[in-house]
Amino acid sequence: MATGKAPLLNTDSSSAAISNGGPVQFVRLEEDLERFSLGRRSTMPAVNGDTQLLRLRTGPERKFSSPMMPAFMVSAPGKVIVYGEHAVVHGKAAIAGAISLRSYLLVTTLSKSRRTVTLRFPDISLDHTWNIEDLPWSTFQHPSKKKFYYSLVTSLDPDLIEAMKPHISNISPHLPPETRKIHQASASGFLYLYLSLGSQTSPASIFTLRSTIPIGAGLGSSASICVCLSSALLLQIRALSGPHPDQPGEEASLQLERINRWAFVGEMCIHGNPSGVDNTVASGGKAVVFKREDYQKPPTVTLLKNFPELPLLLVNTRQSRSTHTEVAKVGVLKKAHPVVTNMMLDAIDKVTESAHTLISSPKFDKNDPATLQHLGELIVINHGLLVSLGVSHPKLERIRELVDHAGVGWAKLTGAGGGGCAIAVLKPGVKHETLQGLEVQLDSEGFEIYQTTLGGDGVGVLWPAVLKNGSDEDGGEEIDQEKFLMAVGNEGVERLVGVGMDETREGWKFWRY
């Protein structure tokens, strides 16, 4: 049986509904799992709704026997800001939605004789192994520091960060400083979670990450990865139940809250003071309304459970930009022209409020063409206001011009602007030839194009890591280290294990609110 600090018995009866101290909803969940008893058949926690039965062999000198956990996978989406960027920095609301570009994590448990844990992230050429026994367990498990799977952690402990430093500083020492910084930040997020949720008797494992989300493009790639790591570690210590189709909504919400809380901790390790919106979207999927009026207090995060799944064209300008620089631009403009700038920020807020009101209406019909037209027009208005704030870029305007000329959808910049990405919600009934022609034009001008879905599922689990994939293998194709690492590029990863692009593949299961 996989071990961890906190047993999955008598769990907490209340939990905040959203990350980082957001609106609190109290739910109760009794997770009564049978204890192992000598000489009897025992049940392990259900994963994907399937109960695993283990026969324990007994004898005069034998102790309990637990089989190795099968290789499994978790996946979480990236995100885009649909409405409200920049205004959200000034206390207004924004709507962020999940996209079908995702991170994928394969967890492989090693034999009991092995006592190492490895983090592999080939997309950024990170590959590092720690000896489990050498890690600073005594510091993390000290009574004054010890955390449990249900703990709410809103700040990093300086003593724990200090204890990790010797185990982080030796990562990628011979690489350029900028690359080393990325590697060490990623490893810090993983190691803080691993030491907080695991124990010195945790099974030796390899955590292999692949991602189809462009890194550094404002699409929540780090949050997606943190959600994958959080989910995998909680699964290893049996602190999650499901997901399965008949799981009650309140139970699924509690599971997502646990995942989200710890993903936020990983985000703090990487970014210092994250907003919490990226990991919330990556955990629960769909979309959220996010608002932070006072930076000394937690944000308000409201789930949009009825947010429709929409076909989305995501276009990366490949133009580097600085979020800090673009935010500062608006700050300077606000100082020079406070009345006008505040009016524009208020107008962006009204755009977000209009979309929120429509989607939350009891009469909301995602299949009504007028509904999509309303949401699309708000996207165009939002973009125009962002242009007025001075945060667009000629490449973003060129994308918008080409989308408008083709007549395929409603386009806007997403995120900080100044480069980065643009999104276009596609109109229904767009001809394939027209869309293909637009993509050819965008590609010829050096843009990177992704056909994605907006508003899809959040974190999912593939347990065990086996998919049909049209394979002749008995029971399906087992996804092992070699196959996962050998998948070439985004297309190879999607073809091997992808979810959410064309249809949900059999085997993947998702927690849903």
Side-chain angles (χ1 to χ4, degrees), residues 11-29 31 148-153 234 239-240 249-262 303 513:
T11 64
D12 55 317
S13 59
S14 64
S15 176
I18 307 293
S19 75
N20 197 22
V24 178
Q25 299 175 347
F26 290 100
V27 297
R28 183 170 183 81
L29 172 64
E31 297 181 56
F148 298 89
Y149 65 91
Y150 51 79
S151 297
L152 175 61
V153 179
L234 288 166
L240 296 175
E250 65 175 19
E251 183 179 319
S253 295
L254 179 56
Q255 308 303 302
L256 286 169
E257 170 56 21
R258 288 181 184 159
I259 292 167
N260 198 15
R261 284 183 176 188
W262 284 104
L303 290 167
Y513 290 108

Side-chain angles (χ1 to χ4, degrees), residues 19 165 309 319 360 368 468:
S19 75
K165 279 185 177 178
E309 285 194 40
Q319 175 67 44
S360 302
D368 181 5
K468 291 295 169 57

Side-chain angles (χ1 to χ4, degrees), residues 224-349:
S224 172
I225 289 167
C226 287
V227 168
C228 286
L229 293 172
S230 168
S231 306
L233 292 166
L234 288 166
L235 283 164
Q236 277 199 324
I237 65 169
R238 312 290 188 180
L240 296 175
S241 63
H244 55 83
D246 300 323
Q247 192 167 29
E250 65 175 19
E251 183 179 319
S253 295
L254 179 56
Q255 308 303 302
L256 286 169
E257 170 56 21
R258 288 181 184 159
I259 292 167
N260 198 15
R261 284 183 176 188
W262 284 104
F264 180 74
V265 175
E267 278 279 84
M268 284 193 290
C269 291
I270 296 171
H271 294 298
N273 185 31
S275 66
V277 64
D278 287 11
N279 48 277
T280 300
V281 173
S283 298
K286 288 294 183 183
V288 300
V289 180
F290 179 86
K291 191 172 186 178
R292 194 169 199 170
E293 298 178 88
D294 184 349
Y295 272 76
Q296 301 303 312
K297 297 178 182 178
T300 301
V301 182
T302 306
L303 290 167
L304 292 176
K305 298 180 183 179
N306 294 327
F307 194 90
E309 285 194 40
L310 300 170
L312 187 77
L313 197 66
L314 174 69
V315 186
N316 188 356
T317 64
R318 291 185 167 131
Q319 175 67 44
S320 62
R321 87 288 184 272
S322 163
T323 298
H324 176 77
T325 299
E326 300 306 315
V327 169
K329 276 186 191 177
V330 178
V332 170
L333 191 68
K334 187 177 180 181
K335 188 175 181 179
H337 307 281
V339 175
V340 175
T341 305
N342 280 323
M343 287 178 66
M344 288 190 285
L345 294 172
D346 287 340
I348 292 174
D349 193 42

Side-chain angles (χ1 to χ4, degrees), residues 59-72:
E61 301 293 328
R62 294 190 69 87
K63 297 182 179 179
F64 291 103
S65 172
S66 57
M68 216 160 45
M69 183 176 282
F72 67 94

